[in-house]
Amino acid sequence: METVLEVKNLKKRIGKAEIIKDISFTIHPGEIFGFLGPNGSGKTTTIKMLVDLISMDNGTIKILGFDIKKNREAALEQIGAVVENPELYSYLSGYENLMQIARIRGISKDRIQEVIQLVGLEGRIKDKMKKYSLGMKQRLGLAAALLSDPKLLILDEPTNGLDPNGIIELRNILKKLAKEKGMAVFVSSHILGEIQNLCDTVAFIEGGVITSVESMAMVHNSLYFIVETKKEEKTLKLLQSMNGIVSVKENDAGYLIELTGEKPSKILKEMIDKGIEINSFSRHLKELEERYLEVIKGGIR
Amino acid sequence: MFMGLIKNEFIKLYSKKKTYIILFLFIALSGVFVAVNQVSENNYLKYNSPKYRVSNMEENIKYQKEYLNNIAKDEALSEEDKAKEIAAAEEALSYMEDELARLKESMINEEEIDWKKSAQAQLDSLRKDYETANEENKAYMKNDIEKIQTHIKHNIPLDEESLNKGFNYLLLNIMVVASGFLAFGLILFNADSVSTEYNPGTLKFLLIQPVTRIKVLLSKFIVMLTSSLILIIITQLVFCLGVGLIKGFGSLNRPILVGHQYEFVVEFGNKILKEIPNTTHYIPLSEFLLKALLLESIFIIVMVSFIFMISTISKSSVIAMTVTIGALLGSNIVYMLSTTYRRLSSYIFLHFTNIESIITGTIVRETRSLQFTYNNVIIVSIITSIVFLIISLVIFKKRDIQI
């Protein structure tokens, strides 16, 4: 399959500390790729290397086949990015800030209007940026990144400062662009909910190492089920004795059971046949948070 | 794309209040110079007007008479001394009274006085004295004769240099600005040009665009330099025009003495700096002004390159400002204290601000550096500017942007 971003054996040392220790990953068109890790794990350093703000000590980064070192301008042509906070010129209007990019990249004024509408800044675009709220700055940053209709969009903690409406809008915009235009999106975050709701793939990074790259579909495809019922000694023993159930744990609603892979409907029928009074039976979507705690040794600090 | 970058930088620069504040300060300063020049013209005219000279002479005569009375009463003096003193004082008094009569007469014919006549008279008397003068004086007198001849030839009153005329004003503005204000003004205007993009980190936003870092930095440099040059020189020319329209421009042919050359000679075991005779010559004010404008521009170029380099290296505007002002003040203090440093100053661009002395050649007398010439100043400035620019570009190209 075609790759939009290919990162191989990336290493970076700052002073004596090895910040990035040999990471590799690829992103495909239309894929929303989450980069998840605690503070100081190397997320922003990686992003800065992707856009050549800092040099790498080892490895290669290719954007649509253009090497960021050898073919820097051609590679950057394909990228729209917001690195850390969306810091644009506070003494210029939102519109002039976008014009600054348009002049460098040769973008039409029609396209600027289009992007302004997309991020929902029509009303305030002529205001000086210093009058913007953090959420509006995020929107402007997103507009700046989207202006050139990039093949790869890189966002660093994009929901910082956005209100719930803004977060939902952002999610919808990104999903739409990924689906309709085949834009690949690289999102770094330490906010689990953000990644869970948005991404197709998640890479967990800790201490400069990618500990795991997982498809969110896999994360969702859980074998855990919640059985809502009255908690009784008798019921517990019945569940434990059944074939096809690996483990049984009590939880708030009743019991959390792990299946071996037997059809859930079959297990449910068996439980009913055995006389367990079941109020509800549902797949327990394994939360990213649990996976995060499993994968990231340091856990949430 | 590069033109886009340049346009961006212009828009950023002229969207900042600071730009207008500094421009306003410079305009105010230029206004102050108009006032200063006018006051000195007024003073000159006052002290040289026949009326003032008459009243001044009358005052002097009064004092002289009192003095005579005092001598007559003085008992400490011997009779012999007294007679001598009185004779001398009376002689002075009669000279003063003659002078007073002459001044009064000229006051009546004030409007008829033709400066050309008196200039011609001066010229004739100089020529007469020239025949009998010694070699050293002859050189000076020759200069004076040439000066007066040029004034007469181009119909330029001898005292025009003391008047507040358009071109005189321009010259004053360039001299004073260059020697006292230019470096500080350029620092205020330019020191934050690159460093301001570090906080907040707008530089990141700029450097992820598909243009080379060299182009990003060069566009900033070009905009800083052209803005500094244009704002300063246009303001000076506009004020020159303003003063000229009101007070007259004065003659561009007014002769100015340049070309002083010096050599070290050993006299009584000491190495002393001596002016080489017969090296000076006159150039018209037009040429002097062009040279002054060129030196001012060259100083702006090298100073902006320096400030630009510091602003690129340091990631904070405060540090950039502190370092450049520190360098400026520090170098001037050392210049005043150390003769060795003064001799080396012909290689240090920070001291290329005494435009008048550099053009006339008298800067050598101050610094005791025979290398301190107009041509060398230009060559050193250009080389220094190129070095500063290359350092800025190399550092900026390789730097990791850790904001």
Side-chain angles (χ1 to χ4, degrees):
Chain A
M1 205 189 340
E2 193 192 350
T3 57
V4 175
L5 174 65
E6 185 188 352
V7 176
K8 262 190 196 163
N9 307 111
L10 195 60
K11 286 183 191 171
K12 177 70 180 177
R13 184 180 278 281
I14 295 174
K16 281 183 181 171
E18 203 172 5
I19 306 288
I20 301 295
K21 302 164 188 162
D22 198 2
I23 65 172
S24 303
F25 58 89
T26 54
I27 303 182
H28 302 289
E31 184 179 3
I32 302 183
F33 186 94
F35 206 48
L36 192 55
N39 295 330
S41 55
K43 297 191 297 288
T44 298
T45 305
T46 307
I47 288 178
K48 282 182 173 172
M49 284 191 279
L50 294 183
V51 292
D52 194 43
L53 281 175
I54 60 178
S55 60
M56 58 186 114
D57 295 337
N58 184 52
T60 55
I61 293 172
K62 281 184 182 168
I63 295 116
L64 289 170
F66 296 114
D67 190 301
I68 192 77
K69 279 288 143 201
K70 292 173 195 146
N71 225 331
R72 179 179 177 272
E73 281 71 48
L76 287 177
E77 192 84 52
Q78 315 298 329
I79 303 179
V82 179
V83 183
E84 290 169 303
N85 302 319
E87 285 150 338
L88 287 104
Y89 301 99
S90 60
Y91 50 86
L92 299 178
S93 69
Y95 188 78
E96 177 52 36
N97 268 301
L98 296 179
M99 273 306 291
Q100 294 262 319
I101 300 174
R103 278 186 210 106
I104 299 174
R105 291 188 181 245
I107 291 165
S108 73
K109 288 188 177 166
D110 291 344
R111 173 67 189 159
I112 297 180
Q113 287 303 339
E114 204 180 305
V115 175
I116 291 169
Q117 280 182 5
L118 183 66
V119 300
L121 267 181
E122 300 98 314
R124 300 288 303 277
I125 198 67
K126 298 281 180 193
D127 289 359
K128 289 261 160 61
M129 192 192 153
K130 62 183 154 211
K131 292 184 187 161
Y132 283 14
S133 67
L134 185 52
M136 289 164 71
K137 284 180 189 164
Q138 284 286 9
R139 285 165 191 257
L140 188 63
L142 180 66
L146 286 176
L147 210 53
S148 61
D149 202 1
K151 295 283 179 293
L152 173 64
L153 178 68
I154 297 175
L155 299 175
D156 199 356
E157 314 275 1
T159 54
N160 245 354
L162 285 182
D163 54 23
N165 276 339
I167 293 177
I168 293 165
E169 275 176 48
L170 173 73
R171 196 192 300 150
N172 291 339
I173 290 172
L174 295 183
K175 283 190 169 171
K176 188 175 157 214
L177 289 173
K179 200 174 161 192
E180 289 176 6
K181 298 209 169 183
M183 186 174 76
V185 184
F186 179 99
V187 185
S188 93
S189 184
H190 58 256
I191 300 168
L192 297 161
E194 183 176 308
I195 297 279
Q196 180 161 8
N197 290 322
L198 181 62
C199 299
D200 306 317
T201 314
V202 181
F204 294 90
I205 180 169
E206 192 197 17
V209 181
I210 291 186
T211 47
S212 171
V213 180
E214 305 190 359
S215 159
M216 280 306 284
M218 290 290 286
V219 174
H220 284 171
N221 199 4
S222 157
L223 287 171
Y224 285 85
F225 284 79
I226 293 168
V227 181
E228 191 188 341
T229 181
K230 213 173 163 190
K231 279 179 262 188
E232 282 177 325
E233 190 70 13
K234 194 179 84 186
T235 313
L236 181 63
K237 279 191 176 154
L238 263 173
L239 287 174
Q240 279 168 340
S241 69
M242 275 170 66
N243 283 333
I245 295 180
V246 182
S247 67
V248 182
K249 277 181 203 157
E250 273 191 36
N251 74 0
D252 295 343
Y255 299 99
L256 177 69
I257 59 173
E258 188 187 347
L259 308 186
T260 53
E262 298 276 344
K263 274 191 172 170
S265 58
K266 201 181 141 206
I267 302 285
L268 177 61
K269 188 168 180 292
E270 213 180 314
M271 285 193 289
I272 294 169
D273 288 348
K274 289 197 171 172
I276 301 172
E277 267 187 45
I278 295 171
N279 295 330
S280 76
F281 179 74
S282 61
R283 191 190 289 273
H284 174 54
L285 289 181
K286 190 170 178 181
E287 292 287 333
L288 193 59
E289 187 174 309
E290 291 169 46
R291 190 69 192 121
Y292 183 87
L293 291 172
E294 283 168 28
V295 172
I296 304 287
K297 278 175 257 148
I300 299 169
R301 288 164 196 188
Chain B
M1 300 304 111
F2 190 56
M3 288 320 290
L5 277 174
I6 288 186
K7 193 170 176 197
N8 281 351
E9 291 302 326
F10 269 115
I11 289 175
K12 283 191 267 179
L13 183 62
Y14 294 102
S15 299
K16 287 182 198 164
K17 274 197 198 112
K18 196 197 82 180
T19 307
Y20 298 96
I21 293 172
I22 293 174
L23 180 59
F24 171 77
L25 286 176
F26 185 55
I27 289 173
L29 187 67
S30 297
V32 169
F33 293 154
V34 176
V36 167
N37 224 11
Q38 188 57 44
V39 167
S40 76
E41 179 189 294
N42 292 348
N43 285 339
Y44 170 80
L45 292 176
K46 184 180 153 196
Y47 294 127
N48 285 285
S49 71
K51 205 174 161 190
Y52 176 83
R53 282 158 73 181
V54 165
S55 73
N56 197 36
M57 193 53 78
E58 280 169 348
E59 200 120 302
N60 286 346
I61 289 169
K62 205 177 100 192
Y63 288 131
Q64 190 68 17
K65 281 179 178 162
E66 269 173 37
Y67 174 66
L68 263 172
N69 283 341
N70 287 343
I71 296 174
K73 282 181 209 153
D74 197 336
E75 285 165 10
L77 285 169
S78 65
E79 286 302 315
E80 199 181 329
D81 286 346
K82 213 180 250 185
K84 258 190 204 166
E85 288 265 345
I86 289 173
E90 275 176 343
E91 195 185 331
L93 187 63
S94 77
Y95 171 78
M96 284 171 166
E97 277 165 345
D98 285 353
E99 190 67 21
L100 182 64
R102 200 180 62 75
L103 281 172
K104 276 184 171 162
E105 196 181 332
S106 73
M107 209 166 85
I108 298 162
N109 309 325
E110 194 173 356
E111 270 135 56
E112 290 154 32
I113 287 181
D114 182 4
W115 70 265
K116 265 190 182 174
K117 266 187 195 159
S118 72
Q120 193 60 52
Q122 261 191 62
L123 192 60
D124 292 342
S125 106
L126 266 171
R127 279 187 177 138
K128 215 170 89 191
D129 293 346
Y130 183 77
E131 302 301 325
T132 55
N134 62 25
E135 276 309 306
E136 204 176 333
N137 282 343
K138 263 188 176 168
Y140 291 118
M141 289 166 111
K142 212 176 122 196
N143 280 338
D144 284 345
I145 290 170
E146 196 189 333
K147 182 180 168 183
I148 296 172
Q149 277 175 333
T150 315
H151 272 268
I152 292 172
K153 185 178 155 204
H154 294 289
N155 196 19
I156 311 162
L158 282 176
D159 61 355
E160 191 171 278
E161 64 178 317
S162 309
L163 305 179
N164 187 16
K165 299 278 186 187
F167 293 128
N168 288 350
Y169 170 80
L170 181 59
L171 193 58
L172 172 95
N173 190 314
I174 295 172
M175 304 299 176
V176 181
V177 164
S179 63
F181 300 91
L182 191 52
F184 281 108
L186 289 172
I187 289 172
L188 289 181
F189 193 61
N190 293 315
D192 63 348
S193 60
V194 183
S195 47
T196 190
E197 300 248 10
Y198 280 92
N199 186 27
T202 46
L203 192 60
K204 287 183 292 192
F205 158 78
L206 197 52
L207 292 185
I208 60 172
Q209 306 305 331
V211 277
T212 61
R213 288 191 181 188
I214 299 278
K215 281 185 187 165
V216 169
L217 202 66
L218 270 183
S219 67
K220 280 189 176 294
F221 179 72
I222 289 170
V223 170
M224 278 168 66
L225 184 59
T226 49
S227 294
S228 303
L229 276 172
I230 288 173
L231 291 182
I232 291 167
I233 291 175
I234 293 273
T235 306
Q236 289 174 331
L237 291 180
V238 165
F239 268 85
C240 164
L241 187 70
V243 173
L245 288 176
I246 296 166
K247 304 276 304 176
F249 285 96
S251 172
L252 279 174
N253 289 314
R254 178 158 72 77
I256 298 178
L257 192 65
V258 298
H260 294 274
Q261 286 180 24
Y262 300 84
E263 63 187 345
F264 283 105
V265 290
V266 178
E267 258 179 33
F268 311 113
N270 285 326
K271 204 169 137 194
I272 57 165
L273 191 68
K274 259 200 148 176
E275 182 161 357
I276 306 170
N278 294 319
T279 55
T280 53
H281 60 277
Y282 283 96
I283 58 171
L285 179 62
S286 55
E287 188 184 336
F288 197 88
L289 271 176
L290 282 180
K291 283 188 164 174
L293 275 172
L294 181 69
L295 279 185
E296 184 186 45
S297 305
I298 292 247
F299 180 74
I300 292 173
I301 292 172
V302 64
M303 193 69 201
V304 168
S305 312
F306 172 66
I307 298 165
F308 187 71
M309 179 180 72
I310 301 295
S311 187
T312 305
I313 294 172
S314 74
K315 293 172 189 170
S316 125
S317 304
V318 177
I319 291 175
M321 195 120 0
T322 313
V323 169
T324 42
I325 289 180
L328 195 61
L329 294 179
S331 63
N332 276 314
I333 291 169
V334 179
Y335 182 87
M336 281 188 279
L337 297 178
S338 158
T339 51
T340 316
Y341 181 79
R342 271 206 292 282
R343 268 201 298 280
L344 293 172
S345 66
S346 55
Y347 299 102
I348 299 163
F349 71 95
L350 289 166
H351 303 292
F352 297 170
T353 55
N354 201 338
I355 286 178
E356 187 173 13
S357 304
I358 293 172
I359 300 176
T360 59
T362 51
I363 190 82
V364 173
R365 210 163 52 202
E366 186 181 321
T367 59
R368 298 175 68 82
S369 161
L370 297 178
Q371 279 74 46
F372 215 136
T373 62
Y374 177 77
N375 288 339
N376 280 358
V377 163
I378 291 175
I379 292 167
V380 171
S381 297
I382 290 172
I383 293 174
T384 312
S385 305
I386 293 172
V387 169
F388 286 159
L389 192 59
I390 289 174
I391 292 174
S392 312
L393 289 173
V394 169
I395 287 178
F396 192 68
K397 188 169 162 37
K398 295 197 168 168
R399 161 175 286 172
D400 278 357
I401 308 298
Q402 295 284 18
I403 314 171

